[in-house]
Amino acid sequence: MTSYFEDLVPGTGMRTPRAWLRSSRPKLSLNGRWQFKFWPEAPVDPIAGDDGWDELEVPGHWVLQGYDRPRYTNTAFPFPIDPPRAPDANPTGDHRRWFDLPDDWPRDGAVLRFEGVDSCFKVWVNGVEIGTAKGSRLPSEFEVGSLLRPGRNLIAVRVHQWSSGSYLEDQDMWWLPGIFRDVTLLARPLVEDVFVHADYDHVTGGGTLRVDVDPSYARILVPELGLELAPGETVSIPSVEPWSAEIPRLYDAHVEAGGETVEVRIGFRTVAMVDGLLTVNGRPLFFRGVNRHEHDPRRGRAVSVETMRQDLVLMKQHNLNAVRTAHYPPHPAFLDLCDELGLWVIDECDIETHGFIYPDWRGNPADDPDWAPMMLDRMRRMVERDKNHPSVIIWSLANESHRGRNFGVLAEWTRERDPGRALFYERDRSYEFSDFYSLMYTPLDELERIGTRTEDVSIDDPALEARRRGLPFVLAEYAHAMGNGPGGLTDYQRVMERYPRLQGGFVWEWIDHGLLLPGATDYVYGGDFGERVHGANFCIDGLMLPDRTPSPGLLELKKVIEPVRITGPEPLTIHNLQTFATLDHLDFLWVEEVDGVEVAAGRLEVPAVEAGAAVEVGMPVQVEARPDLGERWMTVRAVLAKDEPWAAAGHEVAWTQFPLPSAPAEEPVKGGDERLRPVDGKVVFGGGEFDARSGRLVRLFGVPVKGPRLDLWRAPTDNDNGQGGNNSVAVEWRAAGLDRLEHRVDEVVVEDQELVVRGRVAPNGLGLGVRVSYRWRALGDGLQLTVDVVPEGEWEGSAITPRCGSWPRLGVRMALPASFGKVRWFGGGPGEAYADSREAARVGRYECTVDEFQTPYVVPQENGSRIDVRWAELTDADGNGLRVEGAPYFQLTARRWTTEDLERARHRSDLTPREHVFVNLDLAQNGLGSASCGPAATAQHTLEVAERTFTLTFREFGGQGDAAVPSSAP
Ligand code: IPT
């Protein structure tokens, strides 16, 4: 006994799919407050009765407005896999709304349009059922003209969360039912459909325009080009400015028929596969891309147009040039904005059957001809809706749905309907229906092989294998940005830029999907409702925090993919890495700094640089060593010369920094006659007070402290945790007991003017450990600490620790008074950085509070490390405190909770400030990698278990102003 929501019919009563158009005809938005009734199971009776209604915001999801709850799964279906059946517990929302038909509403009919309803619905107008639809992220239109009456009208919509369509909608995201996009009543369209074909000939600089229109008696006007043409007529334009993501030139056009005018914006561009590469307007593209889900922490996928614009502005500001609409067609307004602001778009169909992986892909709809109509309907509705967007250059058939015959049906229809775009599908390993070879999270060595077309044979059929080998490669997803990460962006970029076959990639993913439920202050993710089947925090894997704060990963990406590369100092060279645009829109500013303080600045004269070219420019400062100066750095920045729609003049697009030869650091003055003999059980020297028996530092320049003590542990990041098992360094680290180290002091002795504390640090229950010595020496007005670490025992090869080849960190931890809430430093900044995610850190002077020092990841984990710190001052509000110097550098972390607190916390609200500021002074930390879904940190960025020594110097800091500013400027 199947019902309409379980059959394999895409919908009933729906109008033929057509383009999304801006029309002059009257329309009435039905967004707003609707009456609402929630049913845990689908009711059998039609919507009826005026009683018992609550209220709900439309567009919206009822699970975010107090009814039922949202569910997050990654791949698992949250119901039994028994296609096409839905469970009895099929949450259903009845929606109802009265509206007044305006007096002047035309009498020639009307269309009711839904931009997106998740996942299946039935609709009534004035009590008469007019149809049903599936396909959550696609529009559906119904004729309603004859049912409307003057004055008040009633529309009722029953929405079921689960339907046969749900089997095609297993994207890695929250399951969010409801009418989540606009509902509009349209006067009957007179211009039914428009299909713009606008090509650009890069050889002649001319364009070709043909606009197919239903009805055929329409007129098409392009005033700017002085054109008037008939539907289907092809005209050549001798000279036209092309559209590209870099220069998104649009021409306004009007299509008129029967008194209706429809506005379309034309972008002239030609997409072609040439010599195994994707080209637009004759040039191969390179995607600096991101995968974007629609997400708003309070509104779910009911994102506002302002939010869409914000997303795109942020993408442009962070040097992204492409977006894959993972994994469904976005709200149509989003694509309009892509046309306007300039982004290459892979528009992806609303198809993912990922959960069929559990029955080993048995029953996968993608390979079942009975499902072909449901799938083709989705492809058609996407292509028809979005076909006029110049930004859309590639249609994606689906995500993660294995292989299947139905993709052949989709591809065939699409190629016929729209030969002007390329097709993409990653997961069918034959790539038969794709114009691209593509993988996800590919390790670097394999990427290299693909770049050189020397990858392994992967398809049995030699013809398909040869075809695949001839295809360009695009990384559909890479650099999983879960929690703290991704690491390794530079490594990816280097390989992708080296080989023409690699046409770039799309980072996974744009934004964390943390949700804020009504009244809550902390973001939820899978498992927060005690549910059994969930995807935990795998949806908290974006380049932005849920509130759209760019995470350090996004800042790193911005730097790594910058479209202009500046190298130097000799020769100082500007490389234009763009495909079409010159650098005329940029100003190049330079600044010379000594010890982080500006000593000279200016503007570079940069001659015109064509896309793909480079120019050398003269160095504005002396490059010879200046022995009278301290640490000298030159920074060159490329900034917008004038306002752009996505950023104001002065916005920084690219930068580089290089050291200039400077004087070697002065040899520190050693302390002379300090007494190291204990008095009253204490040793007091060099500003430190030690407990003579334990060798513990008790006070530093009068400030009570705990530590410093060796620390090898960090609160594992999502990428440390990996996917458990083999690819998890955190599993290795825990097996080696790094999360439960015990400290023992063996001797406290005076040797050669040093107070030496020797001991061992090791986990209980295991034989491995490290020998450690802390050597303290008075140094002028400071106290110097040298730590020697020697691993001993079986770090690799024992039964319990088959392999612990790395440490999370190597450094010391200390606790300072809570009043030390300010941090100033000279080193990498302003944000956090790690060995394999440090491109965005530039050498300079920075200051912030300890609270601002944190990166508030939704799931607390190690964060906030500043890299290459030369010195740091931790002070109280009056500027009094402690200064620490590296030899030459250290990595700094400061927080109001311990690493263990951070490790235990599951949400931000689990972290409460303690009575101390905890400071980690590290020689190094392990890289981040992206093993939560992808490769771990490379060997180069691994902190290997090995014998090591590092030195730190502590000084009193009196807030007496800026003692470190160099007194002599050149
Ligand atoms: C890949 C999915 O396409 C994407 O939706 C997301 O789940 C991502 O992984 C991880 O966050 S699929 C994976 C099996 C590579």
Side-chain angles (χ1 to χ4, degrees), residues 74 171-172 293 324 327 352 354 399-400 427 440-441 477 480 508-509 538 541 933:
N74 167 12
Q171 293 94 340
D172 174 7
H293 268 288
R324 173 174 175 235
H327 299 301
E352 173 160 348
H354 211 153
N399 184 57
E400 287 281 8
R427 203 35 69 124
M440 297 177 178
Y441 310 103
E477 295 174 20
H480 201 244
W508 188 266
E509 66 173 306
F538 211 56
D541 56 354
C933 189

Side-chain angles (χ1 to χ4, degrees), residues 22 63 85 92 122 234 239 241 244 252-253 277 329 427 439 529 539 571 586 599 652 667 885-886 951:
R22 289 186 194 284
V63 292
R85 300 297 309 275
T92 295
K122 182 180 271 190
T234 302
S239 170
E241 290 173 52
S244 71
D252 287 328
L277 293 178
R427 203 35 69 124
L439 296 168
F529 306 92
C539 60
L586 299 176
V599 294
E652 184 178 280
E667 270 300 301
E885 294 164 6
T951 297

Side-chain angles (χ1 to χ4, degrees), residues 679-863:
V679 177
D680 294 339
K682 294 183 205 165
V683 179
V684 181
F685 80 117
E689 178 186 319
F690 296 83
D691 176 73
R693 201 185 48 81
S694 65
R696 231 174 254 154
L697 180 65
V698 186
R699 283 172 187 277
L700 195 49
F701 311 111
V703 176
V705 297
K706 291 185 185 164
R709 197 161 91 148
L710 184 73
D711 195 0
L712 300 177
W713 187 236
R714 74 180 179 195
T717 65
D718 292 314
N719 287 313
D720 290 341
N721 288 326
Q723 299 188 319
N726 283 343
N727 84 335
S728 170
V729 280
V731 167
E732 280 175 26
W733 293 339
R734 286 205 168 92
L738 293 179
D739 58 339
R740 54 190 160 92
L741 295 175
E742 300 283 333
H743 297 250
R744 188 185 72 206
V745 171
D746 294 325
E747 60 173 358
V748 181
V749 291
V750 174
E751 286 173 5
D752 186 23
Q753 295 203 13
E754 289 182 336
L755 180 72
V756 183
V757 182
R758 295 204 172 85
R760 191 168 186 273
V761 178
N764 43 32
L766 295 177
L768 56 77
V770 297
R771 291 255 158 227
V772 59
S773 67
Y774 306 89
R775 292 187 277 126
W776 292 97
R777 170 184 289 273
L779 196 74
D781 58 351
L783 190 60
Q784 192 178 65
L785 167 68
T786 298
V787 182
D788 305 297
V789 177
V790 182
E792 56 179 31
E794 289 187 306
W795 286 87
E796 293 195 43
S798 83
I800 292 181
T801 55
R803 193 195 128 71
C804 177
S806 62
W807 287 326
R809 66 157 24 104
L810 174 65
V812 290
R813 190 202 302 194
M814 56 195 302
L816 303 175
S819 59
F820 281 33
K822 285 171 68 181
V823 196
R824 291 180 79 220
W825 74 100
F826 175 42
E832 72 177 31
Y834 293 82
D836 57 351
S837 176
R838 50 166 303 155
E839 293 297 314
R842 59 184 109 180
V843 178
R845 286 189 184 213
Y846 303 99
E847 67 176 284
C848 66
T849 64
V850 166
D851 303 313
E852 290 161 351
F853 212 74
Q854 319 307 310
T855 305
Y857 291 113
V858 169
V859 181
Q861 53 196 278
E862 191 67 40
N863 71 82

